[in-house]
Amino acid sequence: MKAKIVIIGAGISGAGIAYNLANKGMKDIVVFDASYLTSGATGRCGAGIRQQWSSKMNCILAKKSVDFFETAQEVLEYPRSVEFKQEGYLIVATTKEEDLQFTENVKLQQSLGIPARKCTKEEALEIVPHLNKDAFISATFCPTDGHLNPFTMTEAYYLAAKRMGVKFFFNEEVTEIVVNNNKIEKVITNKRTVETAMVVNAAGGHSKEVGDMAGIDIPVYSENHEILVTEPVEKIQGPMVISFSLNIYCQQVPHGSFIMGRSTADQVRGHDVGSTHEFLDEMAKTAVHILPPLGDLRVVRQWGGSYNNSPDRQPIISDCSELPGFYLACGFSGHGFMFAPMTGLLLSEMIMGEKTSIDIKELHIDRFKNSDFTTYERNVV
Amino acid sequence: MSKKDTIICRCEDVTLEDVEAIMNEGYTSFEEIKRILRVGMGPCQGNTCGQLLQREISKFLKVPLNEVETHKVRPLITGVKLKSIVEATKDES
């Protein structure tokens, strides 16, 4: 089998890249996924879409991605609903430092056209009345942030790409990338060999291992982030409520259930995506502290998923100076779902040899060579 | 009985008609169908629909029942209120 390009990973990034390439007229695109659609990090994520970041690049990626999500249902001609609900993210500050940082963040976000604003405690309580008023000092709110269904959004890209001729192979694992004289020659899976000169690494939690197959050392690692969901109830909360200092994000999805997650301190690096009772305890304590009425909700299920972390918690959307034809979409540090439209657009432009829509030099993998990165994204749960 | 009125997943109101339609779209594993139709995501955690859907997949693919993978079982076994979990952590310390 021959292919113009092989994309490894059919999560939101891989499916989005495939769609964008096909949309630009590329033929013979092949996508491999080791498991089923949205089996990896995409299908395990918290379904949040946020534009309130501390780094300029993340703000731009997020805003332009939201612009696409607003039209995704129609543009991709998707028969089901992607459930894009723009009722905002309310980010609460609990310390003086956070309050000051958020003031800076909002200035940056507004300068980039993101409609975020600083809120007093009273204003925040009007937006989410069941917040514990003693648990925070101020907040920021962006009304165009919100919720998006990871399963259907990914399927929307997948079906659109498939209609344009992209070939997807699920439950098929790439085992080897054959490189000779600094050129990609083949991709070998557990079922077939594909001749190709171009490979996109969109393997999410496994992108480091895929990099190793091509002899490219990617400075990312994976760690488990746990999450839980409650029984569905009538709508009581519009926005996602999030706090970096308390370590929580929590939203009520359109279906009615609450989804909430937090990171685990000193998490062991690796591919474990299991569930722990320690997470359940800490999550319950944090949620009931900041949103007391949620104490009456029953937890239905918990699970885990991989964050693929980069050293500066910003994505790697990049080609490789050491290996022509090898492209990277990894290191999203927990935010690959919400950046996917830009990931797909930017990588497809790069691959087609076009000028990229925005300057993404600072997302290049070479930034880590000389520790040449200056911004670090602080706003990560 | 009409397929439209035959409930496969009572937590999420998924009917036999829904299940057959999604299998005809090419999704023929429990995990794939779960992610689109929400079957098995409700409070019963797939205890009711699990075997029913397994049987429908088996019939659709014409493979023996024991070759159809069941859904991933995740904690909790039964719904527990968040505040009960908080109370329990206090007893431990």
Side-chain angles (χ1 to χ4, degrees), chain A residues 54-357:
Chain A
S54 73
S55 87
K56 186 178 174 188
M57 180 53 83
N58 278 352
C59 284
I60 295 170
L61 291 174
K63 175 165 193 312
K64 288 184 179 289
S65 293
V66 163
D67 292 345
F68 177 80
F69 286 137
E70 286 174 346
T71 65
Q73 183 94 38
E74 293 75 34
V75 171
L76 300 176
E77 296 174 36
Y78 182 56
R80 282 182 265 270
S81 172
V82 298
E83 297 175 7
F84 192 30
K85 177 193 83 162
Q86 288 177 286
E87 294 188 29
Y89 260 54
L90 186 75
I91 306 184
V92 299
T94 67
T95 63
K96 258 259 139 54
E97 294 74 46
E98 258 192 331
D99 180 70
L100 288 172
Q101 163 82 47
F102 288 1
T103 304
E104 289 305 306
N105 288 355
V106 166
K107 255 187 242 166
L108 170 73
Q109 291 151 8
Q110 288 179 345
S111 76
L112 298 167
I114 295 166
R117 62 174 192 264
K118 197 82 191 293
C119 300
T120 62
K121 183 186 282 200
E122 289 68 31
E123 288 165 341
L125 285 164
E126 272 174 35
I127 298 167
V128 179
H130 55 280
L131 267 172
N132 173 3
K133 64 176 172 38
D134 300 321
F136 69 104
I137 56 174
S138 69
T140 68
F141 183 65
C142 175
T144 55
D145 290 351
H147 164 276
L148 184 68
N149 184 319
F151 307 128
T152 51
M153 185 62 229
T154 310
E155 196 202 20
Y157 269 132
Y158 159 67
L159 292 177
K162 219 163 76 159
R163 278 198 306 272
M164 289 190 286
V166 177
K167 290 195 193 73
F168 286 83
F169 297 94
F170 291 98
N171 301 304
E172 184 161 344
E173 191 172 346
V174 171
T175 54
E176 203 181 332
I177 298 170
V178 180
V179 177
N180 259 322
N181 297 324
N182 215 28
K183 268 169 111 173
I184 296 171
E185 289 185 345
K186 285 173 207 162
V187 169
I188 300 173
T189 75
N190 54 352
K191 291 181 185 160
R192 78 194 80 215
T193 296
V194 185
E195 288 176 39
T196 187
M198 289 196 283
V199 170
V200 179
N201 177 359
H206 291 88
S207 50
K208 180 161 185 62
E209 288 78 1
V210 168
D212 291 342
M213 284 181 202
I216 299 297
D217 183 26
I218 310 172
V220 292
Y221 64 90
S222 290
E223 65 177 23
N224 187 16
H225 279 239
E226 294 186 59
I227 183 165
L228 64 79
V229 64
T230 72
E231 61 195 330
V233 288
E234 272 184 44
K235 185 175 172 184
I236 60 166
Q237 182 177 319
M240 173 85 92
V241 172
I242 171 168
S243 166
F244 308 112
S245 45
L246 296 177
N247 189 2
I248 180 174
Y249 63 87
C250 174
Q251 72 168 327
Q252 186 174 23
V253 300
H255 168 262
S257 28
F258 277 78
I259 289 185
M260 58 189 80
R262 76 199 304 281
S263 56
T264 303
D266 304 316
Q267 183 64 286
V268 182
R269 296 178 181 191
H271 296 301
D272 169 49
V273 287
S275 299
T276 65
H277 65 85
E278 289 89 351
F279 163 78
L280 189 60
D281 287 352
E282 295 307 313
M283 189 75 252
K285 280 194 265 185
T286 316
V288 174
H289 167 64
I290 189 168
L291 298 159
L294 300 199
D296 282 319
L297 299 184
R298 286 177 183 80
V299 180
V300 168
R301 183 171 55 255
Q302 56 178 126
W303 67 95
S306 281
Y307 272 33
N308 187 244
N309 286 336
S310 73
D312 60 3
R313 301 298 183 271
Q314 294 198 92
I316 303 171
I317 300 174
S318 173
D319 56 10
C320 271
S321 23
E322 289 90 353
L323 183 60
F326 194 57
Y327 296 92
L328 308 173
C330 53
F332 287 94
S333 311
H335 309 102
F337 178 58
M338 53 180 95
F339 293 163
M342 285 305 281
T343 304
L345 179 69
L346 293 165
L347 256 191
S348 64
E349 289 168 342
M350 197 185 288
I351 292 164
M352 302 294 277
E354 299 169 6
K355 186 178 183 311
T356 52
S357 299

